[in-house]
Amino acid sequence: MSTVLSSVTKVFGKTTALSAVNMTIHDGEFVAIVGPSGCGKTTLLRLLAGFDSPTSGEIEMNTEVVANARRIVRPEKRNIGMVFQSFALWPHLKVKEQVLFPLQHHRYVDKELKRYSGERVIEMLKLVGLADYAERMPNELSGGQKQRVAIARALAPKPALLLMDEPLSSLDAELRMELRKEIQTIHRMMNTAIVYVTHDQAEALAMADKIVVMKDGQIEQFGSPEEVYMKPKTPFVATFVGKANLIQGKWLGDAFKPLHDEEVLWIAPDVTDEMKKHHVLPVRPEQFTISRAGNGLRGIVRNVMFQGKEFHYSVDVNGQLLNVHSDYSSKVELGDEVVLAHTSYTNERVTVEEIPSY
Ligand code: ATP
């Protein structure tokens, strides 16, 4: 089932929560939605779920219009599953009954699945590693186990689309890593399309096929994790996903001259016009090499943080503080005068006369 949003706008009083959003979620695709608080992530998910209808625009599922300003298909009539941040298990039902419930009551469950619902419950509990917990009540489970039950319950009726709103945010870091892997494995096995809202961009980069970066109710970029990370379209995407440095400077075609070091000229193809319009070049902290000599931007180390496998430096380049990540082999010290070379561009220093006029 593919899901298509066309010019979807949602207005609450004076707030435009979503503004003309266009997006297609293909069959079996894992789409993560990231963005700062209040950018419209939950609103988008609620519209997909059928809890709310758009002010204008429309949503199609499987070529049927399920929501526009005049009509809305209710959540139970859409072939979707949901997993939210709070585990939301029914307190009076055993684990096996939680998973059985949608198989008995979901409108879309096919007859065969209904007939073998007992087997399906066991299959789903095995999938999430809870086969031995079928008889337990929710209050006898840990947070991670409750969330696994919620996932098994949502997937049991074989929904075409699974909506997940911050499903791991109430779990500790280790459990989150473990469940990330499980959700990826489950996604591969079930081939259900997933729309996954998260605050955690590392989670989005690690798990999704596509990432939607939102800001102020609009989509800033929609692309694969690699595209969004390596070729951010806007300064916002570059800093929000992966914390790039935005080097200020002047552009002439593909040539970039950093404002804070007049003698560096980088030829940087593949940078978007939006970046050029804002007079910046995005550079990831790991795209710099740091050393005490050589060619590149000259600066002074203002802060050093040991992070286990690498060091994080703050380097002052004539007033602009840049973040640089580097491993132990190129260790420098606080207060050192250093050179930051870009790993992809030629870092030859040029005299001012050699630089084309801007
Ligand atoms: P967070 O990450 O904090 O959960 P979000 O990206 O999910 O944020 P939304 O909950 O979608 O953001 O909210 C988008 C905007 O719409 C916000 O400005 C919010 O205050 C507003 N909003 C959401 N629901 C309502 C509502 N029912 N009534 C009025 N305003 C609303």
Side-chain angles (χ1 to χ4, degrees):
M1 176 177 90
S2 59
T3 302
V4 182
L5 287 86
S6 310
S7 273
V8 169
T9 294
K10 180 68 186 174
V11 178
F12 296 106
K14 286 185 181 150
T15 308
T16 301
L18 291 177
S19 179
V21 167
N22 293 302
M23 183 163 92
T24 299
I25 303 147
H26 295 107
D27 207 15
E29 202 165 50
F30 191 145
V31 177
I33 303 182
V34 296
S37 185
C39 71
K41 304 183 292 294
T42 301
T43 303
L44 184 61
L45 217 60
R46 286 178 57 81
L47 293 185
L48 287 171
F51 294 138
D52 236 331
S53 53
T55 309
S56 61
E58 65 179 27
I59 303 174
E60 269 180 34
M61 286 180 177
N62 217 3
T63 66
E64 180 201 0
V65 175
V66 292
N68 59 27
R70 293 169 305 285
R71 117 174 244 271
I72 179 167
V73 175
R74 314 250 11 116
E76 63 277 12
K77 295 193 172 161
R78 298 183 184 191
N79 189 10
I80 52 172
M82 288 175 246
V83 179
F84 294 116
Q85 180 180 348
S86 55
F87 316 114
L89 300 181
W90 294 291
H92 59 290
L93 294 186
K94 289 180 181 175
V95 165
K96 64 178 186 189
E97 292 163 344
Q98 308 270 349
V99 183
L100 184 63
F101 189 88
L103 288 167
Q104 290 171 332
H105 295 96
H106 201 299
R107 183 171 174 257
Y108 273 89
V109 180
D110 69 47
K111 284 199 183 81
E112 198 67 357
L113 206 54
K114 248 184 188 141
R115 186 158 352 130
Y116 294 103
S117 55
E119 283 89 337
R120 178 71 175 165
V121 170
I122 295 166
E123 186 193 349
M124 293 316 296
L125 289 179
K126 273 191 189 151
L127 186 71
V128 296
L130 289 180
D132 296 335
Y133 293 72
E135 301 297 330
R136 295 246 188 133
M137 299 301 285
N139 63 359
E140 297 168 330
L141 300 174
S142 71
Q145 289 163 344
K146 282 184 198 165
Q147 203 55 310
R148 286 194 175 96
V149 177
I151 293 169
R153 180 180 63 182
L155 288 171
K158 294 194 178 172
L161 177 65
L162 180 64
L163 305 175
M164 304 181 101
D165 194 358
E166 305 262 9
L168 308 183
S169 63
S170 53
L171 307 175
D172 68 41
E174 207 172 312
L175 202 53
R176 239 181 10 236
M177 294 297 279
E178 194 183 313
L179 272 182
R180 265 188 202 175
K181 280 192 207 138
E182 280 184 28
I183 291 173
Q184 278 184 298
T185 310
I186 290 169
H187 174 244
R188 274 198 296 272
M189 288 170 71
M190 307 276 295
N191 205 32
T192 299
I194 296 180
V195 177
Y196 188 102
V197 165
T198 177
H199 266 102
D200 184 342
Q201 29 131 333
E203 200 160 281
L205 288 171
M207 295 170 80
D209 301 318
K210 293 273 172 61
I211 293 186
V212 178
V213 186
M214 290 186 64
K215 183 184 171 229
D216 300 334
Q218 289 180 318
I219 294 180
E220 287 265 311
Q221 191 164 354
F222 183 26
S224 69
E226 291 86 349
E227 269 165 359
V228 170
Y229 190 81
M230 299 311 294
K231 287 189 190 170
K233 267 193 184 162
T234 65
F236 171 78
V237 173
T239 49
F240 187 79
V241 180
K243 303 261 179 293
N245 296 290
L246 291 180
I247 314 277
Q248 295 157 33
K250 286 185 182 175
W251 282 99
L252 185 71
D254 286 341
F256 179 79
K257 182 161 78 83
L259 182 69
H260 298 277
D261 192 328
E262 300 255 301
E263 292 173 22
V264 167
L265 186 75
W266 284 325
I267 305 302
D270 292 346
V271 173
T272 62
D273 288 344
E274 191 67 18
M275 297 288 183
K276 293 178 179 176
K277 208 171 84 189
H278 285 88
H279 314 291
V280 291
L281 170 74
V283 182
R284 302 278 170 205
E286 68 278 12
Q287 285 179 312
F288 280 126
T289 56
I290 191 166
S291 53
R292 290 195 183 85
N295 291 324
L297 293 175
R298 294 194 171 152
I300 296 170
V301 178
R302 296 288 187 213
N303 197 46
V304 182
M305 281 195 288
F306 179 53
Q307 296 285 315
K309 74 178 191 344
E310 61 189 9
F311 289 88
H312 291 183
Y313 301 101
S314 294
V315 178
D316 182 343
V317 176
N318 276 322
Q320 187 175 8
L321 269 187
L322 302 180
N323 296 317
V324 180
H325 298 174
S326 189
D327 64 19
Y328 201 85
S329 62
S330 49
K331 172 100 194 337
V332 293
E333 306 294 336
L334 192 65
D336 276 357
E337 287 185 15
V338 291
V339 177
L340 304 179
H342 196 292
T343 50
S344 306
Y345 309 144
T346 309
N347 295 281
E348 293 300 305
R349 290 185 78 79
V350 286
T351 61
V352 176
E353 296 79 60
E354 287 171 301
I355 294 178
S357 55
Y358 287 83

